[in-house]
């Protein structure tokens, strides 16, 4: 295995939270981190931390193509790994999601990630090795109320990644999923902004539950039991990068392990009761 200082890793969604923490953590470990973000203010922040930075908007094919061309040129076609972290959560009851809002969730969380991954795979095939690490979620394993758009995007990412892992067997390219439960990050604040922008709370039959959701999203600090810091994701990311035989899945937080286990052993009726209480 190459030394860390000779391994380039491309990370999406580095503006805050898990992406920012993992970019800084891997850089401190000696990796050659390629940090990407959408907004110029985020890029400026990353540059101030000494990162190698490129603008990348997962909603835009033109942005993805342009960023890949620049990144491959910058690395001398020596990219070692891709960490698909860029995503956001769109809260709201399924019946309150318009087609446009659901499409926007998939554009970032699935379609853009898929397009970027396919471009990187072609590069990995040429060099005979590579690692693709998908930042999924506990909500790619179990569904919760008012998370329908995010649930759907992460379930789709899980299925696509499993299929990709089968198709890339014996190619030297490994595919792993990291499945975090509650992580202390900016995710909740970003979800609140998406909710306020895209859900008509006042005219919804769910408005009373929405009000409680808004109150929860506005609470400071962790609100879910078992919440860990982003360093828990970094630990699993390093395993996915360095394990000789990387796992298909890396659970992060006790809630992920517990719910994944319950889903395997409980009948649907009992599992539904458990999830409706969450």
């Amino acid at each position: 295995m190459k030394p860390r200082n000779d391994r380039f890793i491309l990370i999406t969604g580095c503006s805050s939270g898990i992406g920012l923490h993992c970019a800084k953590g891997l850089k401190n470990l000696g990796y050659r981190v390629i940090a990407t973000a959408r907004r110029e203010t985020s890029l400026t922040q990353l540059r101030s931390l000494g990162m190698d930075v490129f603008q990348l908007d997962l909603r835009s094919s033109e942005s993805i193509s342009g960023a890949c061309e620049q990144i491959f040129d910058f690395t001398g076609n020596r990219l070692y790994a891709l960490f698909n972290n860029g995503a956001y959560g769109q809260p709201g009851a399924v019946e309150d999601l318009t087609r446009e809002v659901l499409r926007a969730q998939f554009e970032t969380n699935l379609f853009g990630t898929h397009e970027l991954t396919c471009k990187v795979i072609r590069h990995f095939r040429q060099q005979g090795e590579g690692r693709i690490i998908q930042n999924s979620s506990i909500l790619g394993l179990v569904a919760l109320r008012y998370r329908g758009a995010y649930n759907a995007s992460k379930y789709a990412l899980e299925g696509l990644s499993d299929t990709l892992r089968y198709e890339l067997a014996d190619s030297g390219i490994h595919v792993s999923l990291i499945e975090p439960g509650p992580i202390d990050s900016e995710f909740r604040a970003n979800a609140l902004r998406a909710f306020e922008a895209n859900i008509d709370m006042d005219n919804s039959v769910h408005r009373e539950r929405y009000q409680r959701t808004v109150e929860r999203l506005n609470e400071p600090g962790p609100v879910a039991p078992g919440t860990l810091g982003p360093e828990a994701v970094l630990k699993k990311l390093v395993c996915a990068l360095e394990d000789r035989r990387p796992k298909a899945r890396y659970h992060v937080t006790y809630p992920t392990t517990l719910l994944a286990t319950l889903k395997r052993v409980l009948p649907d009726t009992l599992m539904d009761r458990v999830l409706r209480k969450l």
Side-chain angles (χ1 to χ4, degrees):
M1 185 175 287
K2 297 177 182 177
R4 287 173 172 173
N5 62 8
D6 196 36
R7 283 184 274 177
F8 288 93
I9 175 170
L10 168 59
I11 306 177
T12 63
C14 293
S15 60
S16 64
I18 291 172
L20 177 59
H21 185 89
C22 288
K24 292 193 293 186
L26 290 179
K27 184 176 186 296
N28 290 339
L29 289 173
Y31 280 90
R32 302 288 300 275
V33 174
I34 307 297
T36 70
R38 178 167 54 90
R39 295 186 299 271
E40 185 58 42
T41 52
S42 300
L43 298 172
T44 300
Q45 176 196 17
L46 292 166
R47 290 190 190 99
S48 71
L49 297 172
M51 301 281 183
D52 294 317
V53 176
F54 295 86
Q55 187 171 33
L56 194 156
D57 186 346
L58 290 169
R59 303 169 302 177
S60 165
S61 293
E62 182 179 358
S63 176
I64 293 170
S65 295
C68 284
E69 184 177 341
Q70 295 175 44
I71 290 166
F72 293 151
D73 182 65
F74 176 79
T75 63
N77 291 315
R78 292 187 297 120
L79 191 65
Y80 172 73
L82 167 64
F83 180 37
N84 280 315
N85 168 73
Y88 73 98
Q90 173 62 64
V94 170
E95 63 187 296
D96 289 337
L97 298 169
T98 65
R99 183 171 184 160
E100 290 73 21
V101 169
L102 190 59
R103 181 187 293 115
Q105 180 80 109
F106 271 72
E107 284 291 350
T108 295
N109 292 15
L110 185 72
F111 301 149
T113 293
H114 169 67
E115 185 174 354
L116 174 62
T117 300
C118 289
K119 290 184 178 298
V120 170
I121 286 173
R122 289 193 286 271
H123 166 78
F124 285 164
R125 282 194 180 279
Q126 291 175 358
Q127 64 185 20
E129 66 170 352
R131 302 214 172 183
I132 299 166
I133 303 160
Q134 315 278 38
N135 196 21
S136 182
S137 170
I138 188 175
L139 296 183
L141 301 175
V142 299
L144 294 181
R145 288 179 294 187
Y146 307 115
R147 315 291 204 287
Y150 188 70
N151 279 141
S153 71
K154 291 301 184 180
Y155 267 69
L157 181 65
E158 293 263 337
L160 205 65
S161 299
D162 282 341
T163 306
L164 187 61
R165 190 175 67 254
Y166 307 150
E167 293 171 352
L168 293 176
D170 302 322
S171 70
I173 305 170
H174 300 281
V175 181
S176 298
L177 288 150
I178 295 179
E179 297 163 332
I183 298 293
D184 189 14
S185 69
E186 296 297 316
F187 186 87
R188 213 164 72 231
N190 293 334
L192 178 59
R193 284 192 287 271
F195 175 81
E196 292 174 338
N198 297 317
I199 302 297
D200 184 4
M201 183 173 74
D202 293 336
N203 293 310
S204 171
V205 297
H206 300 276
R207 56 186 173 274
E208 291 183 6
R209 287 186 179 273
Y210 281 164
Q211 186 58 50
R212 293 198 291 272
T213 297
V214 170
E215 291 171 359
R216 181 183 63 82
L217 291 173
N218 274 312
E219 289 180 17
V223 297
T227 297
L228 296 178
E231 64 275 4
V233 178
L234 173 62
K235 181 179 178 180
K236 298 297 186 179
L237 176 57
V238 172
C239 291
L241 288 169
E242 299 187 353
D243 286 352
R244 183 171 294 277
R245 293 182 178 87
K247 296 178 181 179
R249 285 174 169 78
Y250 293 87
H251 292 172
V252 183
T253 75
Y254 175 72
T256 296
T257 301
L258 175 62
L259 290 175
T261 302
L262 291 177
K263 186 174 182 180
R264 286 198 304 271
V265 301
L266 293 182
D268 287 345
T269 51
L270 289 181
M271 192 65 191
D272 285 352
R273 292 180 190 176
V274 172
L275 295 174
R276 282 200 300 268
K277 292 180 179 180
L278 298 181

